[in-house]
Amino acid sequence: MYWANFLHIYQPPDQQADVLEAVIAQCYRPLLTQLRDNKDIHLTLNINGSLLELFDRYGHQDLIEMLKEMGKDGRIEFTGSAKYHSFLPFLDKEEIVRQIQINDEISRQYLGDSYNPKGFFPPEMAFKEEMSAIVEEMGFEWIILDEIAAYGETGRVDYTKIYKIKNTNLKVFFRERRLSNLIMGAGVRSVKTLMDAMTDDLKSNRYILTGMDGETFGHHRPGLEKLLFDMFSVPELHLVNISKLMELYKDIVEISPIKSTWASSKKDIERGVQFISWADPENILHTMQHELLKLALDQVQKMDKNASEYLDVRKKMDRALTSDHFWWASGKPWWSMEMVEDGAYRLHEVLSLISNLDPEVLNKAGKLYQNIVSTGFNWQRSGKIREMSHEQQTVLRIPFKDRTISKGGEEEGVYYAFVDMMKRLEKEAIENKEYEQAILWRDAVYKLENKLDIYEAMNAIDLLRVKIPNEEVEQIITKYKDEYSRLRGGQPEQQGV
């Protein structure tokens, strides 16, 4: 089976030196060293130009050299992107083109001929329809998006085929969310567990396409890098770059991807808020941030390019376009007052550097900056941030018990089917002396019984479907449903009510 693994690595352009050092030691250097030493590894990598600049600034030229070497050998395939991780659907064509161009320029400066991207990664896999023509016009052959962009829900992409965006020649590859999230969420911690999760896939002629943040391995999740390294050595998985898939699979399907990100849910799309972590219509901070962004960008685009301060202002505007401060202002659940203030400060600073600027424009920007900062601090003091985070958890997770047993009827059988399957797995783990696994299943049952599963990053139900083939799970559920319907009478007293 062919496995195309896509990794994205990025740090904010002004990342603190000590934080960068930690990420390099925990993730980047071990990862690149492993790739360099294993000649059979092929993967597709996005490294934003701003991170290459950080490597250079803080004396990590050895990492740049490793990247160049592996790019030259064809073992790493680089993608294009936006230099400072800007959220492209917020920008017009002129600005999208610029952000891609400055990323290409700095990437070629550091990586030389090794940087020859065929594919394009939009930060956050954030996509709007207008981007297709722009990306194609800039010479890219394909774009990578999350699978939810295909049809507005997961599980419908045919990974035996290649997709092409309608009315263009641009191919589109869809990140497989289930497997990517299983790995990133540490739902699987060993190659055996991973292969169990892929049992049905291995029997087919499909390809696998995962997409993940590289920092997950060793930095966000210490120890998970070992799983990644072990995966690189699985003989059943033939590692390929994404572009190679276009040679291996010839059936092409036309499609019109929908507006989305790799964080969008089906419900977000149905509500028309698929960019909610960066543009929540109910978040006044986001409203003010976007107003300040538009104010700054409009003035910069109007500037005389021959003005003495233009180059300095333009560079600062590029950096201020980073999506980070919008994300950290979402409060659902991500929050950093420091990042919120920094983003607003940088946008205000851009305007303050423009000579002959209308004083009213600068005054408006100053008020927006002050309101953003004061609102953010007020949210922290008042406890609003905690409320928003809790509200989001409640929205995202409905206890499994409420989704099944509380509904009554056959759904009660579903609940007991899962509980019994978990108890079976606990018993098997004890017999195999896999005591950590036994504890996991014991705790999972406790959490289901007490409605605590809403606090789990990787729900116990998802974990169970990794351990037991989906076909077997469905057979057990059907059996319990049938048995429950057969035993229950039609009167309240017969139903234990």
Side-chain angles (χ1 to χ4, degrees):
M1 169 173 286
Y2 294 104
W3 176 31
N5 188 20
F6 170 81
L7 294 181
H8 161 60
I9 58 176
Y10 163 75
Q11 294 296 310
D14 292 303
Q15 183 61 277
Q16 298 298 313
D18 60 328
V19 176
L20 179 66
E21 290 283 349
V23 181
I24 287 173
Q26 296 162 358
C27 175
Y28 297 154
R29 183 163 282 112
L31 174 62
L32 294 181
T33 301
Q34 179 76 13
L35 295 176
R36 180 196 63 192
D37 294 344
N38 189 331
K39 304 298 183 181
D40 294 326
I41 296 175
H42 292 77
L43 59 77
T44 301
L45 178 73
N46 169 247
I47 174 169
N48 293 71
S50 61
L51 182 52
L52 289 170
E53 287 184 326
L54 285 172
F55 286 169
D56 185 38
R57 184 188 311 164
Y58 292 108
H60 300 289
Q61 284 79 14
D62 64 310
L63 300 181
I64 297 174
E65 289 304 314
M66 280 195 276
L67 288 166
K68 286 175 66 175
E69 174 190 336
M70 290 181 284
K72 191 173 295 184
D73 290 346
R75 290 185 288 125
I76 284 184
E77 171 187 38
F78 297 106
T79 68
S81 192
K83 181 178 179 181
Y84 294 108
H85 205 272
S86 52
F87 199 90
L88 297 182
F90 293 161
L91 307 179
D92 60 20
K93 179 178 180 178
E94 175 187 350
E95 202 59 38
I96 291 174
V97 169
R98 175 178 173 82
Q99 296 311 309
I100 297 172
Q101 285 178 337
I102 62 174
N103 186 73
D104 283 347
E105 289 168 5
I106 198 67
S107 297
R108 288 196 175 95
Q109 177 182 321
Y110 284 114
L111 300 174
D113 294 339
S114 294
Y115 182 78
N116 185 28
K118 294 182 179 179
F120 182 77
F121 166 73
E124 309 292 349
M125 293 190 182
F127 177 80
K128 64 178 180 180
E129 184 179 357
E130 296 86 342
M131 288 168 55
S132 300
I134 298 172
V135 171
E136 183 181 26
E137 286 172 13
M138 296 193 72
F140 296 102
E141 296 180 22
W142 55 263
I143 186 172
I144 183 170
L145 304 175
D146 187 80
E147 65 172 300
I148 204 164
Y151 301 103
E153 59 184 357
T154 60
R156 294 184 58 187
V157 173
D158 184 346
Y159 289 98
T160 65
K161 294 179 171 57
I162 301 296
Y163 288 81
K164 182 179 79 71
I165 297 179
K166 286 183 179 178
N167 303 318
T168 75
N169 290 313
L170 186 70
K171 306 297 192 302
V172 54
F173 288 96
F174 295 107
R175 162 192 183 256
E176 187 174 356
R177 182 176 286 196
R178 182 186 76 93
L179 194 56
S180 300
N181 288 348
L182 271 176
I183 296 170
M184 281 201 305
V188 291
R189 279 279 189 174
S190 69
V191 167
K192 182 182 183 305
T193 309
L194 174 67
M195 300 306 285
D196 287 344
M198 297 165 55
T199 300
D200 293 338
D201 297 330
L202 292 170
K203 298 174 184 176
S204 68
N205 65 340
R206 56 157 293 177
Y207 60 89
I208 290 173
L209 200 160
T210 52
M212 298 168 280
D213 286 324
E215 294 83 6
T216 302
F217 303 98
H219 178 58
H220 296 314
R221 292 191 179 276
L224 197 62
E225 71 278 11
K226 183 181 184 303
L227 170 62
L228 185 66
F229 300 158
D230 289 345
M231 288 161 57
F232 289 153
S233 302
V234 176
E236 294 91 339
L237 298 176
H238 301 286
L239 308 177
V240 296
N241 301 333
I242 290 177
S243 293
K244 184 69 175 178
L245 295 174
M246 293 189 292
E247 300 176 22
L248 297 169
Y249 294 84
K250 299 301 183 181
D251 289 346
I252 296 177
V253 177
E254 284 198 332
I255 196 167
S256 297
I258 62 176
K259 190 163 67 171
S260 60
T261 74
W262 62 0
S264 298
S265 69
K266 182 180 179 181
K267 185 175 181 180
D268 291 338
I269 292 171
E270 291 171 347
R271 293 173 55 215
V273 292
Q274 46 270 79
F275 300 154
I276 193 167
S277 293
W278 301 268
D280 184 348
E282 298 178 356
N283 186 327
I284 187 61
L285 274 180
H286 277 170
T287 300
M288 292 188 290
Q289 286 177 315
H290 282 284
E291 188 175 355
L292 183 53
L293 172 66
K294 184 177 188 306
L295 191 65
L297 192 54
D298 284 349
Q299 294 302 317
V300 171
Q301 290 179 338
K302 291 176 184 176
M303 286 184 71
D304 179 359
K305 292 181 173 55
N306 294 315
S308 60
E309 75 270 23
Y310 176 74
L311 289 179
D312 184 42
V313 171
R314 184 62 255 197
K315 287 179 181 178
K316 289 184 181 297
M317 184 72 243
D318 292 331
R319 295 166 77 92
L321 286 173
T322 176
S323 66
D324 299 341
H325 53 113
F326 296 98
W327 191 77
W328 286 109
S330 67
K332 295 180 179 179
W334 304 284
W335 176 256
S336 169
M337 188 61 229
E338 181 182 13
M339 294 297 290
V340 171
E341 188 279 334
D342 183 73
Y345 173 82
R346 292 185 182 283
L347 290 169
H348 180 266
E349 181 187 31
V350 166
L351 290 166
S352 71
L353 294 173
I354 300 176
S355 61
N356 301 319
L357 183 69
D358 183 343
E360 284 301 311
V361 173
L362 189 59
N363 182 54
K364 182 177 181 180
K367 288 182 178 178
L368 282 168
Y369 168 78
Q370 292 171 1
N371 288 339
I372 288 169
V373 173
S374 61
T375 300
F377 276 119
N378 183 56
W379 282 11
Q380 284 192 174
R381 284 191 294 267
S382 67
K384 181 177 176 64
I385 292 301
R386 289 183 177 273
E387 292 175 10
M388 291 170 67
S389 178
H390 178 73
E391 176 187 343
Q392 182 71 356
Q393 286 181 337
T394 302
V395 169
L396 290 176
R397 294 284 193 183
I398 301 173
F400 185 65
K401 201 170 188 177
D402 286 345
R403 286 185 278 137
T404 53
I405 199 168
S406 295
K407 289 186 176 181
E410 290 184 348
E411 291 304 309
E412 292 191 46
V414 174
Y415 174 80
Y416 290 114
F418 274 102
V419 168
D420 280 4
M421 280 187 279
M422 289 177 185
K423 289 180 177 179
R424 185 188 100 191
L425 289 171
E426 178 188 356
K427 182 179 178 182
E428 291 176 358
I430 292 172
E431 291 172 352
N432 294 327
K433 296 183 180 180
E434 296 177 344
Y435 299 117
E436 286 189 7
Q437 284 285 315
I439 292 170
L440 183 152
W441 297 118
R442 181 200 65 192
D443 290 350
V445 171
Y446 176 83
K447 289 169 184 174
L448 289 185
E449 290 175 341
N450 293 277
K451 301 184 182 182
L452 299 175
D453 51 310
I454 61 172
Y455 302 109
E456 294 298 292
M458 178 61 63
N459 195 282
I461 303 303
D462 300 324
L463 287 173
L464 184 140
R465 288 184 180 274
V466 172
K467 294 292 291 185
I468 301 178
N470 192 62
E471 182 178 348
E472 183 180 345
V473 170
E474 297 304 322
Q475 289 174 351
I476 293 172
I477 289 173
T478 300
K479 174 186 173 183
Y480 271 74
K481 278 185 175 182
D482 292 345
E483 183 70 9
Y484 205 77
S485 297
R486 187 176 69 83
L487 292 175
R488 283 170 63 90
Q491 298 300 320
E493 62 270 18
Q494 294 174 303
Q495 297 173 359
V497 177

